[in-house]
Amino acid sequence: NFVGIYNAFYDDKMWILIYNVPLAIMLGMAVFFTNAPAYRGRKYDEHRTLTLAASVAIGGLPMAHWLFFRCWGLECFEKAAWPTLILGFCYGMGFVFFYFRIPECFAPGRFDTYLHSHQWWHVFVFAAAYVWLHGMLRYTSWRVNSLLPADLAAATNATIAV
């Protein structure tokens, strides 16, 4: 998320801070609840899961902001929308599988070792990370090699200053 936020708001440091500070706090809480000995065990499974889910969900706000208000033109939207939507889908499916303990809830005892919900969660998170990485690489390459409105404004201001 941090890389995506930087790429989306590279020309406006205020938005980078507004979105990255709460995200860092949520991720810190997720790491705390996951690793603190006092919060281990089944009793706190829901807290850990929801904290991780909230840290991912909080990333949806800057994504929506960028896609609808700052991603200028069809080409930008096409390069960024699909990786963003697939990322959200993969994270969402991972959450559903993990939170509702799919497939264990349908066949208790049959998926205790292989193909249980935690393994499926890892598959979905890996798929999301893979899509996001390649989407960000493609978008960054396009952004660096294209003049976007913010770049045009900066170039105009630099020309006026000379």
Side-chain angles (χ1 to χ4, degrees):
N1 282 345
F2 295 109
V3 173
I5 290 171
Y6 175 78
N7 266 318
F9 302 102
Y10 70 96
D11 62 329
D12 193 342
K13 304 300 182 216
M14 179 190 70
W15 284 113
I16 292 173
L17 281 174
I18 287 172
Y19 287 131
N20 275 338
V21 169
L23 179 60
I25 291 169
M26 286 303 299
L27 287 172
M29 288 175 58
V31 167
F32 173 76
F33 281 122
T34 301
N35 294 306
Y39 294 99
R40 293 213 175 126
R42 281 263 206 242
K43 180 179 175 183
Y44 294 104
D45 277 356
E46 189 169 344
H47 292 83
R48 287 192 306 273
T49 303
L50 292 177
T51 305
L52 284 167
S55 66
V56 170
I58 220 170
L61 186 60
M63 284 182 193
H65 174 189
W66 176 67
L67 281 172
F68 293 112
F69 298 110
R70 297 185 50 109
C71 189
W72 299 283
L74 185 60
E75 188 176 10
C76 176
F77 193 80
E78 286 174 352
K79 292 202 179 306
W82 286 113
T84 302
L85 294 172
I86 294 170
L87 169 92
F89 174 78
C90 288
Y91 275 146
M93 290 303 295
F95 173 77
V96 167
F97 269 65
F98 189 75
Y99 189 78
F100 293 106
R101 307 250 192 252
I102 297 171
E104 299 95 303
C105 66
F106 300 118
R110 290 192 62 200
F111 298 101
D112 290 345
T113 306
Y114 298 108
L115 301 175
H116 56 79
S117 57
H118 189 90
Q119 290 171 340
W120 283 109
W121 176 78
H122 279 285
V123 168
F124 283 116
V125 168
F126 177 80
Y130 182 83
V131 168
W132 186 244
L133 169 67
H134 289 282
M136 281 295 97
L137 288 172
R138 203 171 80 219
Y139 173 75
T140 302
S141 174
W142 174 77
R143 182 180 65 81
V144 168
N145 295 317
S146 300
L147 282 178
L148 301 178
D151 300 323
L152 292 172
T156 303
N157 291 338
T159 305
I160 293 172
V162 173

